[in-house]
Amino acid sequence: MDRIQKAVEFFGQQGNCSQAILTAFGPGFGLDRDLAMALGRSLGGGMGHLGLVCGAVSAGMLILGLASDKAEDEAQRRAESYQAVQALNDRFIAQRGSIHCRDLLGLNLRDPEELALARERGLFTSLCPGLVGDVARLLVELTARQR
């Protein structure tokens, strides 16, 4: 199973969007499953249901930081990481219009009524798997360039 499919399936069965990205891509960069789950736990719903940056995007940015570790010195690692993060951001926005969970879902998950509405509308099963898949595809491209 490829990492894109693994991330989408994981999201649908075991964890939130950020955990899906981190568990699918993290092991390739030395991140074990338990730590990936812990790191991603609070990022779902745009960082703890705050509606900020989509958890899949946030996790993707963390993976890009790990992927830049091959550079010779820390300044170069940061520069490569920043460039890759900007590319992820720009491409995701071009595809989806925003990186913010609140914009992507059209609801404020911090509000219990809107969270219930998101569940009632099936957004976590209809929309979010596609967002996870989009981030995963972008990571496959961007991490291939950093190796």
Side-chain angles (χ1 to χ4, degrees):
M1 174 180 337
D2 72 8
R3 291 177 293 176
I4 299 166
Q5 183 181 4
K6 182 177 179 181
V8 172
E9 286 183 12
F10 185 92
F11 173 74
Q13 299 170 2
Q14 300 179 47
N16 68 28
C17 50
S18 54
Q19 289 171 319
I21 293 295
L22 290 169
T23 58
F25 287 84
F29 301 102
L31 183 64
D32 72 52
R33 185 184 189 284
D34 290 340
L35 188 53
M37 290 294 287
L39 286 172
R41 188 172 296 132
S42 63
L43 297 176
M47 300 179 176
H49 282 178
L50 293 175
L52 302 173
V53 176
C54 166
V57 174
S58 295
M61 292 177 179
L62 293 174
I63 293 297
L64 292 172
L66 292 172
S68 68
D69 206 36
K70 302 291 184 210
E72 291 187 28
D73 63 31
E74 184 56 30
Q76 187 177 0
R77 289 179 192 123
R78 281 194 308 271
E80 286 181 13
S81 178
Y82 296 164
Q83 184 178 21
V85 163
Q86 291 167 14
L88 174 66
N89 177 77
D90 295 347
R91 291 178 188 182
F92 191 85
I93 289 173
Q95 291 175 354
R96 294 294 185 154
S98 178
I99 61 168
H100 295 102
C101 185
R102 186 176 303 157
D103 298 337
L104 295 164
L105 295 176
L107 294 167
N108 176 4
L109 299 181
R110 193 171 187 179
D111 179 323
E113 290 179 14
E114 291 193 40
L115 175 59
L117 187 57
R119 289 183 175 133
E120 180 183 309
R121 291 181 181 169
L123 294 179
F124 302 121
T125 56
S126 63
L127 177 66
C128 294
L131 302 174
V132 169
D134 288 348
V135 171
R137 277 186 283 286
L138 290 169
L139 284 175
V140 167
E141 267 182 53
L142 293 168
T143 57
R145 292 181 184 172
Q146 287 183 289
R147 290 191 175 242

